[in-house]
């Protein structure tokens, strides 16, 4: 894979057919992330209400109204790609991910103690934790940043150079521009860091070095 083109990827699940429109990759990812900001904002709001209710019901109601307005403002501005909402939106996702992670660990503890019913909650909250942290990490991707802060130039240019082709990472399904003749077992996906060639296939066909 060409060294300087590693950040030209589509986040997990995007198919090559969705790359026809120049902004389609960012638009789809941003729509999905905006929805996650909304849902995770509700989770954080519920958590704040639950904690503040320990003090008093009136205080809990006041905090619910205050942070409800704050969360709605962050979500609405994030959806509209307002620059100030970029990191507040990502922090909402991070906070929800931490909460899901704590709940997952608690349920794992209950499972190890013999409560088989906790298995489902371990799976659900564990999946939510991984998903939230992955969405949070999107905000460090230079392509996503460029698309969010500059709608006129997203930085997503999938024009292939001579000898390149589009291929999907076998683990996360990110779409990459690669040169098949130069691909080796040491090449890793820039998104998930998984090998682009299955080690067993590389050993079977002797693809240990770039040709």
């Amino acid at each position: 894979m060409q060294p300087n083109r590693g950040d030209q990827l589509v986040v997990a699940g995007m198919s090559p057919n969705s790359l026809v429109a120049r902004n389609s990759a960012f638009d789809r990812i941003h729509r999905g992330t905006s929805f996650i900001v909304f849902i995770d904002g509700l989770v954080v709001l519920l958590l704040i209400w639950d904690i503040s209710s320990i003090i008093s019901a009136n205080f809990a109601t006041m905090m619910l109204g205050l942070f409800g307005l704050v969360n709605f403002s962050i979500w609405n501005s994030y959806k509209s790609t307002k620059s100030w909402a970029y990191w507040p939106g990502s922090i909402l996702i991070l906070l929800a991910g931490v909460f899901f992670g704590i709940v997952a660990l608690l349920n794992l503890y209950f499972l190890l103690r013999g409560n088989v019913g906790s298995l489902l909650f371990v799976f659900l909250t564990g999946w939510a934790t991984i998903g939230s942290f992955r969405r949070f990490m999107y905000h460090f991707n230079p392509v996503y940043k460029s698309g969010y802060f500059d709608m006129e130039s997203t930085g997503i240019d999938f024009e292939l150079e001579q000898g390149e082709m589009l291929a999907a990472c076998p683990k996360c399904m990110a779409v990459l521009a690669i040169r098949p003749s130069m691909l080796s077992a040491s090449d890793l996906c820039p998104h998930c860091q998984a090998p682009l060639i299955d080690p067993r296939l590389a050993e079977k066909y002797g693809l240990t070095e770039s040709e």
Side-chain angles (χ1 to χ4, degrees):
M1 183 171 58
Q2 193 170 351
N4 296 330
R5 289 167 62 80
D7 58 349
Q8 294 188 337
L9 57 89
V10 179
V11 182
M14 298 291 290
S15 66
N17 292 334
S18 63
L19 303 178
V20 177
R22 185 166 183 244
N23 294 334
S24 63
F26 170 77
D27 289 341
R28 292 191 181 200
I29 297 168
H30 179 254
R31 280 197 300 269
T33 306
S34 298
F35 179 72
I36 296 299
V37 169
F38 178 76
I39 297 299
D40 284 356
L42 292 179
V43 172
V44 172
L45 187 62
L46 178 62
L47 184 61
I48 291 174
W49 176 80
D50 194 42
I51 294 174
S52 59
S53 63
I54 299 175
I55 300 176
S56 71
N58 290 335
F59 181 71
T61 301
M62 182 182 70
M63 294 296 287
L64 186 66
L66 175 62
F67 280 94
L69 291 174
V70 172
N71 281 359
F72 178 80
S73 178
I74 292 175
W75 166 73
N76 189 55
S77 298
Y78 187 93
K79 185 178 67 169
S80 303
T81 64
K82 303 290 185 180
S83 59
W84 73 267
Y86 187 77
W87 289 113
S90 67
I91 289 173
L92 283 180
I93 297 176
L94 177 62
L95 290 175
V98 171
F99 170 71
F100 289 137
I102 293 173
V103 175
L105 290 176
L106 286 175
N107 280 281
L108 180 60
Y109 171 76
F110 295 143
L111 178 63
L112 294 177
R113 298 274 297 186
N115 186 349
V116 181
S118 299
L119 179 61
L120 177 61
F121 292 99
V122 170
F123 173 76
L124 292 176
T125 53
W127 177 80
T129 301
I130 295 172
S132 293
F133 276 103
R134 287 190 66 184
R135 287 283 178 173
F136 173 72
M137 293 305 297
Y138 288 0
H139 295 81
F140 294 94
N141 188 302
V143 176
Y144 187 80
K145 267 188 176 181
S146 177
Y148 185 94
F149 289 107
D150 185 3
M151 292 301 296
E152 295 301 320
S153 176
T154 65
I156 302 175
D157 182 4
F158 287 96
E159 182 179 351
L160 296 179
E161 296 180 0
Q162 183 66 32
E164 288 186 335
M165 63 174 290
L166 292 177
C169 169
K171 181 176 180 181
C172 70
M173 297 306 294
V175 177
L176 311 172
I178 67 168
R179 294 179 184 270
S181 61
M182 300 178 63
L183 199 63
S184 71
S186 61
D187 289 320
L188 304 177
C189 172
H191 181 57
C192 67
Q193 300 303 311
L196 293 177
I197 297 180
D198 188 294
R200 291 173 297 180
L201 291 178
E203 183 179 358
K204 180 178 180 180
Y205 294 103
L207 301 175
T208 55
E209 300 289 341
S210 298
E211 296 180 4

